[in-house]
Amino acid sequence: MSSWDIRNGSSVMEFIFVGFSVTGNSQLGLFFLFTAAYLFTILANITIIIVVVLNHQLHTPMYFFLSNLSFLDIWYVTVTVPRLLVDLLMGKKPISITACFTQFYFFFVCEATENFLLMLMGYDRYLAICQPLHYLTMMNTSACICLVTSCWTMGFLVVIVPMVLIANLSFCGPHELHHIFCDFSPLLRLSCTDTSSTEAIFYALAWAVLLGCCLFTMVSYVFIISTIVQISSDTGRSKMFSTCAGHLTVVLIYYGTSTFTYICPSARNSFAMDKAVSVFYTIVTPILNPIIYRLRNKDMKVALKKTLRNWNNSLGKGHVGKVSLS
């Protein structure tokens, strides 16, 4: 029976996050810092999606995948950060066990889907650079939609088994979760039943998804780099490298953090380390993604300027129209 104390017949129906050990001005400072980070991530990714939609020259497979990653990053931070902000502003509030499990499920859906999307984007760059004659045929509109849909579907499906296993654990107290959201390891620590099989299955899936996607991406880049170095023109090599540098940087940051978190959990031996790593991959990494990977992209910057110019022109014409009518 899940979440049920066999010894005294009581069940844990809610958890309390034991987040950061700060009070007063320090707590308020963290609230404003994380709020600014959250709003920047949301606005930056919405801007990227709008720019891709409004500019025909960005209607290519690469930018279609980028806009999907932007959409994913919006949900990635929304799953965890708003609840963290509430706790920082209003104090530690309980979260129901159902809400906790829901947060757990959707957080890892975002994690898994991001793995699949990053792998797909690496494969896209491989086809564009190593198989340019077949690229448009293989990456047509139908194929792109099918591949992205598969990434999202696999992300939702692969987390179902860990979710069911976690939901069937017994939680008899204490109910204090030493973390900033409902993560896997902190939940296991609160369970009063044997978690060895749940832990083994979770980390087996984590290894399969993380290392499988990472290996596929790295192999793609081995072929990409070997192709680029054979280009005789310095300008050609520079252009090819520039189209891949952002993605490769994000891949290294993402997989480095995820490996440290889920593949090598023994490296984190304290609650403070858990929280510090969590802040990095739930708040810092989503901020870096639009900066490194998209807003610094030359085509994206040109399209953004064009969109802003068109918007300003539209506002200007509307203002002139209003003035002439008056």
Side-chain angles (χ1 to χ4, degrees):
M1 189 182 305
S2 63
S3 306
W4 186 259
D5 188 352
I6 298 174
R7 294 167 298 177
N8 58 23
S10 65
S11 61
V12 172
M13 300 305 296
E14 60 185 25
F15 299 116
I16 294 179
F17 293 122
V18 181
F20 302 100
S21 301
V22 293
T23 57
N25 291 335
S26 297
Q27 186 171 330
L28 198 60
L30 284 179
F31 170 78
F32 285 118
L33 179 63
F34 292 158
T35 299
Y38 176 68
L39 292 177
F40 173 83
T41 303
I42 297 295
L43 293 174
N45 283 295
I46 289 176
T47 299
I48 289 165
I49 294 171
I50 292 173
V51 170
V52 170
V53 170
L54 294 181
N55 288 270
H56 183 73
Q57 68 269 28
L58 298 184
H59 292 180
T60 63
M62 183 177 78
Y63 291 104
F64 175 64
F65 300 144
L66 282 174
S67 59
N68 270 271
L69 190 61
S70 291
F71 181 73
L72 175 67
D73 282 345
I74 291 171
W75 290 106
Y76 187 88
V77 295
T78 301
V79 168
T80 56
V81 177
R83 172 69 206 204
L84 172 61
L85 296 179
V86 169
D87 285 342
L88 286 172
L89 185 64
M90 304 179 65
K92 298 177 176 62
K93 301 293 182 181
I95 180 173
S96 70
I97 196 167
T98 301
C100 184
F101 290 162
T102 301
Q103 186 188 59
F104 171 91
Y105 177 73
F106 284 104
F107 174 78
F108 282 103
V109 165
C110 292
E111 280 272 320
T113 305
E114 183 144 357
N115 276 277
F116 296 131
L117 281 176
L118 289 175
M119 178 182 67
L120 175 58
M121 293 162 73
Y123 179 63
D124 171 70
R125 291 299 82 206
Y126 161 76
L127 289 179
I129 294 173
C130 302
Q131 305 287 336
L133 298 179
H134 304 287
Y135 177 65
L136 293 179
T137 302
M138 298 181 68
M139 282 294 183
N140 55 56
T141 302
S142 298
C144 290
I145 293 174
C146 182
L147 288 168
V148 165
T149 302
S150 298
C151 289
W152 284 93
T153 302
M154 288 189 295
F156 276 92
L157 292 178
V158 76
V159 187
I160 290 178
V161 172
M163 177 68 225
V164 171
L165 293 173
I166 283 286
N168 280 280
L169 292 177
S170 297
F171 297 95
C172 342
H175 66 291
E176 291 184 340
L177 201 64
H178 286 268
H179 210 53
I180 60 175
F181 68 95
C182 293
D183 203 355
F184 179 73
S185 294
L187 282 172
L188 284 193
R189 295 189 189 113
L190 295 185
S191 177
C192 55
T193 52
D194 180 35
T195 61
S196 56
S197 60
T198 299
E199 192 170 9
I201 293 171
F202 178 86
Y203 285 115
L205 285 171
W207 274 82
V209 173
L210 279 171
L211 296 186
C213 292
C214 182
L215 180 61
F216 188 94
T217 304
M218 291 299 104
V219 170
S220 296
Y221 270 101
V222 168
F223 286 105
I224 289 170
I225 293 172
S226 65
T227 300
I228 291 176
V229 296
Q230 295 176 31
I231 299 175
S232 57
S233 168
D234 291 339
T235 304
R237 282 199 302 270
S238 177
K239 184 178 179 179
M240 289 297 180
F241 271 122
S242 67
T243 63
C244 302
H247 178 255
L248 185 58
T249 302
V250 169
V251 163
L252 293 175
I253 293 174
Y254 176 81
Y255 284 116
T257 307
S258 296
T259 300
F260 182 76
T261 305
Y262 297 110
I263 302 300
C264 305
S266 59
R268 305 177 346 266
N269 53 16
S270 70
F271 294 134
M273 179 66 75
D274 272 351
K275 296 168 190 175
V277 173
S278 297
V279 167
F280 188 84
Y281 67 75
T282 58
I283 298 176
V284 177
T285 301
I287 291 178
L288 296 176
N289 283 355
I291 296 173
I292 295 174
Y293 199 6
R294 283 149 281 192
L295 295 181
R296 290 185 62 85
N297 179 283
K298 182 179 178 180
D299 293 335
M300 182 64 71
K301 287 193 290 185
V302 171
L304 178 59
K305 290 178 181 178
K306 179 183 176 182
T307 302
L308 292 175
R309 185 168 58 250
N310 292 339
W311 184 55
N312 288 330
N313 290 339
S314 298
L315 288 178
K317 290 178 181 178
H319 179 70
V320 170
K322 289 180 180 180
V323 173
S324 62
L325 286 172
S326 62

